[in-house]
């Protein structure tokens, strides 16, 4: 069976973009057709300044929302990255295979490092190396497919490169994964800045719809979405990004096609109203299930504990094999003392 791995970083409240671009496909497709693992990648949240209590709180909320969205622990493995030591164990070994140049070419590092230099500061070393940790997340499980947004495809390519290089140098150890990208709404954009991704790390702002936003909040944010000059409702991602974003969101929520949906509207107001209602209805069952899970925290903790046990059992043989292949001495087993001594 195909093995799928993907993760969510708890650096902010999950958004409509996270749901439409990734989570919904995990629920409706991936957990049913594959041996699937979905991870709260909390170690990645430490690459920037953070409040420890907030990271813990968001990690719990993220896990609860994954389950509320429909991930079923009977069908897939849901766990927290830091609960499985094999991620960090493998990451260092892969750092010994990666190069400095590869790390510095990563888009997110280049962008964030440049912003910090303008401010007179510098980024954490972990921001430079975290794509290797992401590769370890993937390769430890022998994942065949990695569902990601298009902004993360570069990191999956790095995982592929490291797997091939390791296999060539030290013997076949890793499955070479491939990225799988969603179709419509692969990258939901900010309602106020339609050329920028609707990112959870932005944390505040009227352009971001969060999974736990109340219906009236959703309606207000969509009603205030930036559109474009002109009166005609047409789908043109390059020339009319604001309008295209609304049409893509509506299409993702209703199962339509953006260009065909555009033909049914003669005003921005009607499009915004229908888009808002479609988003409210898509989020309603997720929010209702989330409330139930919040009332039963023991259930979520149990899912994460069992998920970590399953993930550890899957990852350890591969990571141990990588340690042996690269030249590390196996641990000396404890001496067994006879009971009759």
């Amino acid at each position: 069976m195909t093995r799928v791995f993907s993760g969510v970083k708890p650096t902010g409240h999950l958004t409509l973009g996270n749901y439409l671009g990734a989570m919904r496909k995990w629920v409706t497709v991936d957990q049913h057709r594959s041996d699937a693992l979905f991870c709260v990648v909390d170690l990645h949240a430490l690459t920037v300044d953070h409040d420890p209590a907030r990271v813990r709180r968001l990690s719990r909320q993220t896990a609860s929302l994954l389950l509320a969205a429909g991930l079923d622990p009977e069908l897939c493995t849901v766990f927290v990255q830091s609960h499985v030591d094999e991620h960090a164990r493998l990451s260092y070994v892969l750092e010994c295979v990666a190069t400095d140049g590869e790390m510095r070419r990563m888009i997110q590092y280049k962008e964030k490092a440049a912003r910090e230099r303008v401010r007179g500061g510098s980024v954490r070393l972990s921001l430079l190396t975290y794509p290797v940790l992401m590769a370890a997340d993937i390769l430890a499980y022998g994942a065949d497919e990695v569902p990601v947004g298009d902004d993360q495809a570069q990191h999956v390519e790095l995982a592929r490169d490291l797997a091939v290089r390791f296999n060539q140098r030290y013997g076949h150890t890793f499955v070479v994964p491939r990225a799988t990208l969603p179709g419509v709404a692969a990258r939901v954009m900010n309602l106020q800045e339609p050329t920028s991704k609707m990112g959870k790390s932005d944390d505040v702002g009227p352009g971001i719809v969060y999974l736990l936003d109340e219906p009236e909040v959703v309606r207000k944010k969509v009603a205030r979405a930036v559109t474009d000059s002109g009166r005609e409702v047409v789908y043109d991602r390059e020339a009319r990004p604001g309008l295209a974003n609304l049409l893509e969101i509506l299409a993702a929520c209703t199962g339509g096609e953006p260009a065909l949906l555009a033909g049914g509207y003669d005003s921005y107001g009607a499009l915004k109203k229908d888009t808002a209602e479609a988003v409210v209805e898509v989020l309603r069952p997720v929010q209702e299930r989330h409330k139930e899970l919040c009332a039963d925290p023991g259930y979520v903790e149990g899912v994460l504990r069992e998920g970590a046990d399953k993930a550890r059992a899957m990852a350890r043989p591969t990571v141990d094999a990588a340690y042996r292949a690269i030249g590390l001495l196996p641990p000396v087993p404890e001496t067994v003392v006879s009971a009759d001594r």
Side-chain angles (χ1 to χ4, degrees):
M1 181 180 289
T2 299
R3 179 165 289 176
V4 170
F5 176 93
S6 200
V8 182
K9 185 165 57 175
T11 50
H13 300 288
L14 294 184
T15 71
L16 179 67
N18 296 126
Y19 182 74
L20 295 180
M23 293 165 59
R24 188 169 62 173
K25 180 174 178 289
W26 299 350
V27 169
T28 59
V29 178
D30 292 326
Q31 69 172 342
H32 297 283
R33 69 173 180 86
S34 62
D35 182 8
L37 300 99
F38 301 106
C39 180
V40 180
V41 287
D42 54 344
L43 294 176
H44 293 295
L46 310 185
T47 60
V48 295
D49 290 340
H50 63 277
D51 173 12
R54 185 170 185 269
V55 171
R56 285 191 290 270
R57 183 171 65 252
L58 287 175
S59 295
R60 292 190 189 96
Q61 184 186 87
T62 299
S64 297
L65 281 169
L66 290 176
L67 297 174
L71 290 183
D72 184 346
E74 296 296 322
L75 299 174
C76 65
T77 303
V78 181
F79 66 105
V80 175
Q81 179 190 32
S82 64
H83 295 176
V84 181
D85 293 344
E86 278 63 31
H87 292 255
R89 287 182 62 209
L90 183 56
S91 182
Y92 179 74
V93 167
L94 293 178
E95 283 185 15
C96 298
V97 179
T99 67
D100 176 75
E102 285 175 315
M103 297 301 98
R104 295 185 187 280
R105 285 195 295 271
M106 294 291 109
I107 298 299
Q108 292 191 26
Y109 171 78
K110 290 170 65 175
E111 292 177 348
K112 291 181 180 179
R115 287 198 296 268
E116 284 301 316
R117 281 195 295 271
V118 170
R119 299 170 184 160
S122 61
V123 296
R124 299 184 180 192
L125 177 61
S126 56
L127 184 66
L128 177 66
T129 60
Y130 99 87
V132 179
L133 176 58
M134 182 174 172
D137 298 338
I138 298 165
L139 299 182
Y141 297 100
D144 303 288
E145 297 180 4
V146 188
V148 290
D150 55 2
D151 59 323
Q152 291 292 326
Q154 185 186 37
H155 292 156
V156 180
E157 284 303 309
L158 175 68
R160 290 174 56 84
D161 291 343
L162 295 181
V164 169
R165 190 178 307 153
F166 191 101
N167 290 346
Q168 290 175 341
R169 289 180 181 176
Y170 305 112
H172 186 80
T173 305
F174 298 117
V175 173
V176 179
R178 61 184 179 275
T180 57
L181 303 177
V184 173
R187 197 176 191 190
V188 177
M189 312 307 278
N190 190 299
L191 295 176
Q192 292 297 314
E193 300 176 28
T195 58
S196 300
K197 177 184 173 184
M198 185 185 286
K200 62 181 180 298
S201 298
D202 297 338
D203 203 35
V204 294
I208 307 165
V209 175
Y210 297 105
L211 296 190
L212 296 179
D213 276 348
E214 294 290 336
E216 283 308 311
V217 173
V218 173
R219 294 183 181 104
K220 185 178 294 185
K221 288 180 177 179
V222 175
R224 294 177 177 175
V226 169
T227 49
D228 314 282
S229 59
R231 294 173 178 269
E232 188 180 4
V233 179
V234 295
Y235 178 66
D236 187 331
R237 167 52 72 184
E238 297 300 321
R240 312 281 288 278
L243 195 56
N245 190 38
L246 289 172
L247 287 166
E248 288 181 358
I249 291 171
L250 178 61
C253 291
T254 62
E257 291 291 334
L260 294 178
L261 288 171
Y265 294 94
D266 55 13
S267 72
Y268 292 167
L271 172 62
K272 287 182 175 182
K273 181 179 178 181
D274 284 358
T275 300
E277 293 307 317
V279 171
V280 167
E281 289 308 310
V282 162
L283 296 185
R284 190 186 308 280
V286 177
Q287 294 177 353
E288 290 174 352
R289 178 58 177 151
H290 181 260
K291 289 180 182 178
E292 295 174 357
L293 291 171
C294 287
D296 188 8
Y299 172 77
V300 177
E301 291 173 1
V303 168
L304 296 179
R305 182 172 55 252
E306 293 177 9
D309 289 343
K310 289 171 60 179
R312 193 178 302 112
M314 282 187 265
R316 183 163 293 171
T318 299
V319 177
D320 286 349
Y323 269 51
R324 290 192 301 271
I326 205 169
L328 297 177
L329 191 67
V332 178
E334 293 183 10
T335 303
V336 178
V337 179
S338 175
D340 56 4
R341 280 192 175 184

